[in-house]
Amino acid sequence: MKLIAGVDIGNSTTEVAIADIEKELNFLSSSIVRTTGIKGTVENVVGVYNALKEACSNIKVDISQLHAICINEATPVIGDVAMETITQTVITESTMIGHNPDTPGGLGLGIGRTIFIDEIDYVSSTEEVICVIPKSVDFETAARRLNLAFKKGIKVQGAIVQGDDGVLISNRLERKIPIVDEVTHIDRIPMGMVSAVEVAAPGETIKVLSNPYGLATIFNLTPEETKHIIPISRALIGNRSAVVIRTPEGEVKERVIPAGKIILYGTGEKRVAIEEGSEKIIKALKEVWPLKDASGEPGTNVGGMMERVRQVMSELTGQSQGDIKIQDILPVDTFVPQRVQGGLAGEFALENAVALAAMVKTNKLPMENIAAKLQKETGVKVIIGGVEANMAVLGALTTPGTAKPLVILDLGGGSTDSAYINRDGAVKSIHHAGAGEMVTMLINSELGLEDYNLAEEIKKYPMARVESLFNIRYEDGTVCFFQQPLPSNLFARNVVVKGEEMIPIPTRHSLEKIKTIRREAKRKVFITNVIRALEDVAPFNNIRGIEFVVLVGGSALDFEIPEMISDELSRYGIVCGRGNIRGALGPRNAVATGLVISYYNSLRSSKNE
């Protein structure tokens, strides 16, 4: 036997294909493991060795028995280290609570001056007040003192409670008032200030405090002041309860952190403000394409982000920061939770932001270092093969029913690669920043999860609502019943259904909202990149000149991304579907398979010569 191994080092996974080429090309084994380290660095060798070991064990041979190992040219692009959210943060002159507690009490809108419940006996009967109740006062005592105040004619318009006793207090009151509870930092509430408390009926949302003009009416704001409270009203949209308190003038000041401008260098130079959004950035990118480098304004968020990209890559490759060039970026409009200045219960408000994925090109290929280290550890000759996308084309052509000409879209973790092969076998390829890992980042950010692994599960698997201990309703409306009761901690929760496992999603967002965020994240990243890629590789730059597209790579396994891309490309009359590498492996292993085929073809052509 003459065994050849093809190794595809990706952003997320490392894949191996092994074939015997002694007489003819005969594939014997394959494997897949997590990539170790950042793609294109010597840390990848550990993952490569593990993948080779697994593939060899499948056919009961040792790594040392391999004739050669072919690895892909993985170095020119590294997309996963550069994903960072850039936003402009505005802090407004107000304190607010809008955390949607589980147990608000009462109903309606109450406006008055904030006082501690201990001061209630000393309040004038002509003054309207909002009562602040700390945890040290139990619900029965609070209810009794409020009822006494009502009898004395004191105008208690609402209450702010530290504990979760809103309903218990409300049920004992002779007159219903709006009560917001679960206010952790009740000691931060400024006393003697005008405050508004609103609680909506079950199943409804607040209407006055989520309206900037409603807030302007309550607090007698000028048009200029009304502009500043828009972030507050926007943050409260969809809440069942909320409190807004006007702070003493100057206590909380407005502060703006500039997002800055991104500077694109290509056929010309373009400067685009991040606040203008992704559409304007992509338009500017097309005007200077192909991109030679990008940077950001010094002293801004985007400037710091670009420098961090260069610093990380410089440390990993041993090159100077000046030699690190950014060859592509993908901007995506998104929302990020920002902690509210002056908030009393850890409140967050969603703010507009632009997420950026950057693809980095280095001046020299660190693949030579990887090849040298791998050869030393295995004792097997290591060859650096062709460009990823070109190799993926060769692998994709092993899909039954495919033939030249065609386009492959390699949907990976960090980048979206595309290649077009014509009838003569000539290949044109392109790499674009942004893929599966950026989708995960957007989901994690917009849902405020702070749990990358959970965001990854939300991306990859369908969700459901646990309606009872014996049934769930999937996001598409279908119902599934169980003979044994589900764990009680899943009751009335949204869950990710991962095979037999159900993973609870710790967020107050509705199932429909989570589904919308997930699908929008995939659409913004993959549809945008697919169109960009096809415009670059299509004959005469005309997408309608393409007939067949084959999807390969890890993200092609996703349960909805291929259908999204297929629907989009159907508008251009393009036939699109998942690849089935070697008729058995689905969309996986295209590059690794292509590397082996490329080696076999070159060996055969040299013999013929």
Side-chain angles (χ1 to χ4, degrees):
M1 287 196 301
K2 189 175 183 180
L3 300 176
I4 303 297
V7 180
D8 172 23
I9 304 168
N11 286 278
S12 301
T13 59
T14 296
E15 300 176 0
V16 167
I18 295 178
D20 179 8
I21 63 167
E22 189 166 26
K23 293 179 181 176
E24 59 182 24
L25 186 61
N26 180 26
F27 282 95
L28 303 174
S29 178
S30 59
S31 67
I32 179 171
V33 302
R34 294 278 317 167
T35 296
T36 53
I38 293 175
K39 176 182 177 180
T41 61
V42 290
E43 285 83 359
N44 298 158
V45 173
V46 175
V48 172
Y49 189 87
N50 292 338
L52 286 168
K53 189 176 179 181
E54 184 179 319
C56 287
S57 68
N58 292 339
I59 52 175
K60 295 181 172 53
V61 298
D62 191 78
I63 293 177
S64 60
Q65 294 176 254
L66 294 173
H67 177 73
I69 299 169
C70 303
I71 60 177
N72 59 315
E73 283 186 19
T75 48
V77 293
I78 298 176
D80 58 344
V81 297
M83 299 177 196
E84 184 154 323
T85 302
I86 308 299
T87 185
Q88 176 173 284
T89 305
V90 178
I91 298 169
T92 55
E93 190 176 305
S94 179
T95 297
M96 72 166 233
I97 307 167
H99 61 305
N100 234 4
D102 292 324
T103 55
L107 193 65
L109 174 69
I111 304 168
R113 183 173 63 88
T114 51
I115 64 160
F116 277 119
I117 194 166
D118 292 341
E119 302 170 347
I120 201 166
D121 295 331
Y122 309 105
V123 174
S124 165
S125 59
T126 60
E127 188 176 12
E128 295 181 336
V129 296
I130 299 293
C131 220
V132 178
I133 305 170
K135 252 184 182 176
S136 55
V137 179
D138 64 75
F139 64 88
E140 287 185 328
T141 304
R144 186 174 66 253
R145 298 190 71 173
L146 288 173
N147 283 329
L148 285 172
F150 293 152
K151 287 177 182 177
K152 289 180 181 180
I154 296 171
K155 297 176 181 177
V156 179
Q157 302 298 308
I160 304 171
V161 182
Q162 187 174 21
D164 59 354
D165 303 331
V167 173
L168 295 173
I169 294 171
S170 182
N171 289 343
R172 288 163 173 77
L173 295 183
E174 296 171 3
R175 179 164 65 85
K176 295 303 176 187
I177 58 173
I179 302 172
V180 170
D181 58 2
E182 299 180 37
V183 181
T184 312
H185 306 294
I186 206 161
D187 55 305
R188 296 182 188 173
I189 294 178
M191 292 296 110
M193 304 306 298
V194 177
S195 170
V197 181
E198 185 177 7
V199 175
E204 297 183 13
T205 59
I206 58 172
K207 296 190 171 52
V208 179
L209 299 188
S210 59
N211 177 3
Y213 301 116
L215 289 172
T217 304
I218 292 169
F219 296 109
N220 194 26
L221 302 177
T222 65
E224 194 61 34
E225 288 172 325
T226 303
K227 288 181 186 177
H228 292 309
I229 55 88
I230 287 174
I232 290 180
S233 60
R234 191 177 66 204
L236 298 178
I237 291 172
N239 281 7
R240 190 189 158 196
S241 64
V243 175
V244 175
I245 306 166
R246 184 71 184 270
T247 59
E249 189 175 353
E251 186 172 312
V252 180
K253 295 181 180 179
E254 184 180 281
R255 178 167 59 94
V256 175
I257 303 170
K261 291 182 180 178
I262 190 166
I263 307 162
L264 306 172
Y265 307 96
T267 54
E269 181 181 315
K270 281 279 183 180
R271 291 172 178 257
V272 192
I274 288 294
E275 291 92 336
E276 291 188 45
S278 64
E279 202 171 304
K280 288 284 181 71
I281 298 172
I282 288 177
K283 184 182 177 184
L285 190 60
K286 286 180 179 178
E287 290 174 6
V288 301
W289 192 259
L291 190 67
K292 295 175 182 174
D293 199 8
S295 62
E297 281 186 314
T300 65
N301 278 333
V302 70
M305 176 236 179
M306 292 298 188
E307 287 311 304
R308 280 193 296 277
V309 170
R310 286 187 168 86
Q311 185 179 348
V312 169
M313 293 312 306
S314 175
E315 291 171 359
L316 290 170
T317 62
Q319 299 176 69
S320 68
Q321 291 190 31
D323 292 335
I324 308 294
K325 305 295 181 185
I326 293 172
Q327 72 171 34
D328 186 41
I329 59 169
L330 174 66
V332 175
D333 293 325
T334 184
F335 295 96
V336 289
Q338 294 290 325
R339 189 175 292 278
V340 175
Q341 180 76 4
L344 304 178
E347 298 86 16
F348 285 84
L350 284 178
E351 291 207 0
N352 291 322
V354 175
L356 291 177
M359 182 172 284
V360 181
K361 183 169 185 174
T362 54
N363 278 349
K364 64 179 183 180
L365 297 180
M367 288 309 297
E368 294 170 5
N369 299 331
I370 295 175
K373 187 172 181 182
L374 184 61
Q375 187 164 312
K376 184 179 179 182
E377 292 201 8
T378 61
V380 178
K381 180 174 67 173
V382 177
I383 302 163
I384 300 173
V387 176
E388 270 183 274
N390 300 25
M391 297 301 100
V393 167
L394 295 178
L397 283 169
T398 65
T399 296
T402 59
K404 300 178 243 182
L406 63 75
V407 170
I408 65 98
L409 288 170
D410 189 352
L411 313 176
S415 64
T416 301
D417 304 332
S418 179
Y420 170 72
I421 184 169
N422 64 19
R423 284 186 172 85
D424 300 326
V427 178
K428 181 183 179 184
S429 61
I430 192 75
H431 307 276
H432 284 298
E437 290 176 3
M438 192 178 191
V439 172
T440 304
M441 185 202 74
L442 292 173
I443 293 169
N444 191 36
S445 175
E446 291 196 28
L447 291 177
L449 297 175
E450 296 184 4
D451 186 342
Y452 187 88
N453 291 330
L454 177 59
E456 182 77 6
E457 306 291 17
I458 291 172
K459 178 185 77 175
K460 291 165 65 175
Y461 300 101
M463 297 176 295
R465 177 78 175 174
V466 179
E467 296 186 327
S468 76
L469 294 181
F470 291 92
N471 83 286
I472 62 173
R473 185 178 298 273
Y474 282 93
E475 58 183 77
D476 65 356
T478 57
V479 179
C480 180
F481 292 91
F482 301 89
Q483 292 187 337
Q484 299 298 321
L486 297 169
S488 58
N489 67 315
L490 298 180
F491 178 66
R493 300 286 296 274
N494 295 326
V495 296
V496 178
V497 184
K498 184 181 178 182
E500 298 296 316
E501 184 184 3
M502 292 186 195
I503 306 166
I505 304 172
T507 172
R508 295 179 186 273
H509 295 294
S510 68
L511 192 65
E512 190 60 34
K513 174 74 171 177
I514 301 170
K515 177 183 175 182
T516 300
I517 288 173
R518 181 193 71 206
R519 288 184 62 84
E520 277 299 294
K522 291 176 180 178
R523 185 186 62 78
K524 288 174 183 176
V525 173
F526 282 105
I527 299 302
T528 301
N529 260 354
V530 162
I531 298 302
R532 290 171 76 203
L534 293 183
E535 286 175 345
D536 285 332
V537 301
F540 310 108
N541 295 334
N542 181 9
I543 294 182
R544 294 189 182 276
I546 298 170
E547 294 183 45
F548 298 98
V549 169
V550 178
L551 304 178
V552 299
S555 294
L557 290 166
D558 187 89
F559 70 102
E560 54 190 357
I561 289 172
E563 285 72 19
M564 283 183 179
I565 295 173
S566 184
D567 287 346
E568 181 69 21
L569 296 187
S570 66
R571 297 166 48 200
Y572 300 92
I574 296 172
V575 178
C576 176
R578 287 186 184 92
N580 188 17
I581 309 305
R582 309 202 311 258
L585 300 178
R588 286 283 195 190
N589 213 260
V591 174
T593 296
L595 285 163
V596 175
I597 294 172
S598 177
Y599 182 88
Y600 175 73
N601 289 343
S602 63
L603 203 66
R604 195 171 57 174
S605 63
S606 63
K607 282 182 180 178
N608 292 337
E609 290 173 3

